[in-house]
Amino acid sequence: KRKNGGMKENTVEVSPRITFRTRSQLEIMDDGYKWRKYGKKSVKNSPNPRNYYKCSGERCGVKKRVERDREDSNYVLTTYEGVHSHESPCTSYYTSPVVSSNLVFSNQWPSANSSSSN
């Protein structure tokens, strides 16, 4: 006999979803990944269609939805759903980092108060 009274537990896997609102005349902005368009849909109360894309990475299930903002068509709403199962094609790696002796870290900046007190 099961502890939960013999009933099956329903588990639903939820993909993370994030939306960016970007001011742009372009519909598609380069985000470093390759996408394949798989659909287009008219949206109620909006003159602009919604476009659907899937990541072209091998066995990657991330989807992207792109549409113009209903209130202000100067903005593009891009919604990502899922997590990429691969690295971005534009990721670069440094084999030997170069450190400059001219770097100034924020905790080393001279304060405005110290120069005005002299």
Side-chain angles (χ1 to χ4, degrees):
K1 193 171 184 181
R2 295 182 184 178
K3 289 182 182 179
N4 61 4
M7 298 187 62
K8 277 189 175 181
E9 290 183 29
N10 292 333
T11 56
V12 177
E13 204 169 303
V14 178
S15 300
R17 185 183 293 176
I18 186 165
T19 300
F20 294 95
R21 185 175 184 254
T22 310
R23 187 179 187 123
S24 175
Q25 296 302 317
L26 301 173
E27 283 290 319
I28 305 298
M29 292 165 277
D30 187 11
D31 59 5
Y33 292 95
K34 294 182 181 179
W35 300 94
R36 178 177 55 83
K37 186 174 180 178
Y38 72 91
K40 186 176 189 174
K41 178 181 177 181
S42 294
V43 181
K44 191 175 183 179
N45 299 327
S46 177
N48 302 303
R50 181 183 294 159
N51 296 297
Y52 297 91
Y53 300 87
K54 288 183 180 180
C55 182
S56 296
E58 191 174 331
R59 292 188 298 267
C60 185
V62 177
K63 294 180 181 179
K64 176 168 81 167
R65 187 173 75 195
V66 180
E67 61 188 301
R68 287 268 169 204
D69 192 333
R70 291 179 193 176
E71 283 81 38
D72 188 349
S73 64
N74 291 317
Y75 289 91
V76 175
L77 299 174
T78 306
T79 303
Y80 296 92
E81 187 173 335
V83 178
H84 289 281
S85 61
H86 56 91
E87 293 187 20
S88 169
C90 67
T91 302
S92 61
Y93 296 95
Y94 297 100
T95 55
S96 59
V98 178
V99 178
S100 171
S101 60
N102 297 329
L103 289 178
V104 177
F105 297 96
S106 61
N107 62 352
Q108 297 174 341
W109 290 347
S111 66
N113 294 341
S114 64
S115 61
S116 61
S117 62
N118 290 343

